[in-house]
Every structure is written in structure tokens, then in C-alpha cells.
Amino acid sequence: MTQTAEATHPAPTAVPAPPLLSVNNIEVVYDDVILVLRGLSLEVPRGSIVALLGANGAGKSTTLKAISGLLKTEDGEVTRGEIIFDGERINGIDPDKIVRHGIFQVMEGRRIIADMTSLENLRLGAFTRSDGEVNADIDMVFNYFPRLKERTGLAGYLSGGEQQMLAIGRALMARPKMILMDEPSMGLSPLLVKEVFAIIKEINRDLGVTILLVEQNARAALSVASHGYIMEQGKVVLDGSADELRDNEDVKEFYLGGAGDQRKSFKNLKSFKRRKRWL
Ligand SMILES: Nc1ncnc2c1ncn2[C@@H]1O[C@H](COP(=O)(O)OP(=O)(O)O)[C@@H](O)[C@H]1O
Ligand SMILES: [Mg+2]
């Protein structure tokens, strides 16, 4: 026997799994004229948490709404490029159909229904489902967020943190493959931010739900994400692993505090170099 095992059975070449979501070079226009996204691309691997970071007005929420189809409700349109989810092109599809494909967006500012109870809000999240496990999933959500179970009154009386938890719980009720979260840290105390992000991490780990996390709070987002994209003026200007981004001097200066109003733009940086890790 002179032949090695490798010679008879060559090791399979590792083919990278296709990302669950891939946004390819999209342009988004509001009201037929206002160009907000200008060739934006990003990828979210299955089972991962990816952060999309950037200052106010960069186009983060627009990106999420392009993916979830909610742009339509604001007279916005994807005019170029494509969005591929789980192997299918989804741009142009109605938002309720996109929920059925397995994407659920947690809107900025929570948007829970104030004059319904937590329980009723959770049931609404399950609107696409006809299986008999809705009650079991309500128990699961209460398990993640025990406080919601104690508060039986109208959701409008919940604290900001509790409303954020309810919004995330409602998303879970759809049993999505992917949750798009728009600034879950907004308006929460640092302690609550920690708590909510720990639960986001847990949900990702336990349930395998893929998460695209939009944040202005780069520090919190990079503490749970494996990869991050930074966007400015409708485009991605930098991307990399969460560790790379945390160690990047420019990211530290602009997005991890310290610079305050002095914040400059990546656009003007000589050191700027786009890294396309997954392309
Ligand atoms: N419905 C809309 N109609 C017109 N312009 C909009 C609309 N929504 C957002 N914009 C504009 O698009 C840009 C990006 O907004 P947005 O996606 O909300 O950014 P971010 O979430 O990063 O703060 C902003 O200049 C904003 O004024
Ligand atoms: Mg926003």
C-alpha cells in the first residue's frame, strides 16, 4: 500500500455556503426622485449576526425597508440591483409575502400596538402561521422576557425597554429565518441596552435566527455581531469582522466614542480602504 488516503479520496474542497441574504448593488429612490441608496451591497451568512452601522441619515433604515418590502409604504422603490434571500430574488415583493419568506423587521421606535396587551401583540406576530404551536411559542417568548408575562396591562404602559422586548418577541412569533432590527438600543439606558443585546445574542444562538442589526450604537452592536458594515451617504464605506472593526483606528475615532462633534467622514480619509471580506 503506497497510495495515501488523500490520493484515493481527495479531501472535498470547501465550498462556502451561500449567504442567507445578499444585497447586490441596490439603488433606492423615494418619491421617484430622491436617491438615498447608491449602490449598496452586503451579505448576511446563515445563522450569523451582522451589524449595519452608521450615523443618522446614512440610509440604514432605508436598507432594512428595502429588504422587508416596507419601502413601498413610503413611496420608495429599489430602482437598481437585486436582493436575494434564501436563493430567491425578493425585491419588488409585497411586505406580507416577504414575512412568509421568513424575514421579519423590528421597526425603529418599536411600533408595538399600544392599546393591546402584550399577549395580543404577540399573537399578531404569528399572523402568517396556521400551525398549532403558537401558544408554545408565546411561552418561549415569555421565557426570554419574563417581565412581559408579569405585565398584563396594555402595551402602551410598558417601559421603553419592555416595549423593545415585546417588539422582538413579536418578531419571534413569526418563526422567521431572519430578523431585521432597527436600532434596538434607541432610548434605552446603558443597563437595558446590555440586557436587550444579551437576549439578542441568546436568541441567535438558541434558535439559529439570523440577524441583521442596524445601530448607531456601534459598541453594543459589535459586541454581539460577527461582522459589520459601516455606511455613509447611502453606501458601504468599510466592512470587516467585528474584531477588525473594533480595532480599526478610524472606527474607534468615528464610531466608538471620543470624537463627538468632531466626527469626520470616511469619505475624506486617505487611509480609507474598502475591504470586501466575502466578495
Ligand atoms: N420616506 C422618505 N421619503 C424621502 N426621503 C426619505 C424617506 N425616508 C428617509 N429619507 C431620507 O433618506 C435618507 C436616509 O434615511 P434613513 O434610511 O432613515 O437613514 P438612517 O436610518 O441611517 O438614519 C435621509 O436623508 C432621509 O431624509
Ligand atoms: Mg434609521
Side-chain angles (χ1 to χ4, degrees):
M1 280 284 279
T2 51
Q3 250 179 349
T4 61
E6 284 92 314
T8 36
H9 301 289
T13 355
V15 180
L20 180 60
L21 174 76
S22 124
V23 175
N24 301 323
N25 205 19
I26 60 166
E27 251 178 33
V28 165
V29 171
Y30 284 111
D31 304 319
D32 293 326
V33 286
I34 309 161
L35 181 63
V36 171
L37 297 190
R38 306 186 286 168
L40 179 123
S41 298
L42 59 82
E43 290 187 352
V44 184
R46 201 178 288 272
S48 67
I49 301 180
V50 167
L52 180 59
L53 311 172
N56 196 18
K60 304 180 298 298
S61 296
T62 299
T63 304
L64 293 191
K65 288 178 203 158
I67 299 165
S68 65
L70 290 169
L71 263 189
K72 281 193 175 180
T73 65
E74 295 190 25
D75 209 6
E77 198 191 346
V78 178
T79 50
R80 214 182 83 189
E82 57 178 12
I83 303 172
I84 309 286
F85 180 73
D86 214 3
E88 279 184 72
R89 186 184 154 115
I90 58 165
N91 36 316
I93 296 182
D94 285 342
D96 64 312
K97 294 222 176 70
I98 291 184
V99 172
R100 286 169 213 276
H101 270 81
I103 300 181
F104 203 104
Q105 178 169 356
V106 178
M107 304 281 283
E108 190 176 342
R110 298 151 204 149
R111 307 273 180 93
I112 47 123
I113 299 181
D115 56 4
M116 282 183 153
T117 64
S118 298
L119 196 59
E120 287 164 337
N121 271 279
L122 292 178
R123 286 196 183 283
L124 273 186
F127 78 93
T128 55
R129 293 175 51 184
S130 52
D131 60 276
E133 294 173 44
V134 170
N135 286 333
D137 283 3
I138 286 175
D139 288 343
M140 171 197 72
V141 169
F142 283 151
N143 220 13
Y144 280 112
F145 304 110
R147 247 182 285 170
L148 293 182
K149 192 172 184 177
E150 293 157 21
R151 310 284 241 110
T152 51
L154 295 181
Y157 295 110
L158 298 174
S159 71
E162 289 161 347
Q163 290 190 14
Q164 185 61 59
M165 291 172 189
L166 181 56
I168 295 171
R170 186 175 57 183
L172 288 179
M173 290 304 298
R175 288 215 175 162
K177 295 179 190 144
M178 180 168 202
I179 300 181
L180 311 174
M181 290 194 191
D182 201 346
E183 308 223 23
S185 79
M186 198 200 279
L188 303 188
S189 70
L191 201 66
L192 263 173
V193 170
K194 259 198 158 153
E195 192 178 328
V196 167
F197 276 66
I199 296 170
I200 290 172
K201 184 94 194 175
E202 239 177 274
I203 286 168
N204 165 259
R205 199 187 47 212
D206 300 350
L207 307 176
V209 184
T210 305
I211 296 171
L212 177 56
L213 178 61
V214 155
E215 266 299 339
Q216 283 190 60
N217 186 338
R219 192 180 298 280
L222 291 176
S223 74
V224 295
S226 53
H227 299 275
Y229 289 85
I230 294 180
M231 63 182 295
E232 273 183 11
Q233 298 177 13
K235 277 187 179 163
V236 170
V237 291
L238 183 75
D239 74 82
S241 73
D243 289 340
E244 280 167 1
L245 292 181
R246 259 196 309 262
D247 292 344
N248 179 298
E249 290 304 321
D250 301 326
V251 175
K252 274 191 207 163
E253 183 182 356
F254 303 145
Y255 293 100
L256 296 176
D261 292 335
Q262 306 290 302
R263 189 152 85 183
K264 290 172 268 171
S265 165
F266 266 108
K267 233 178 44 180
N268 307 321
L269 272 185
K270 288 215 183 69
S271 65
F272 158 69
K273 199 169 145 223
R274 171 88 201 271
R275 285 192 298 254
K276 284 179 153 185
R277 202 184 138 88
W278 301 315
L279 303 181

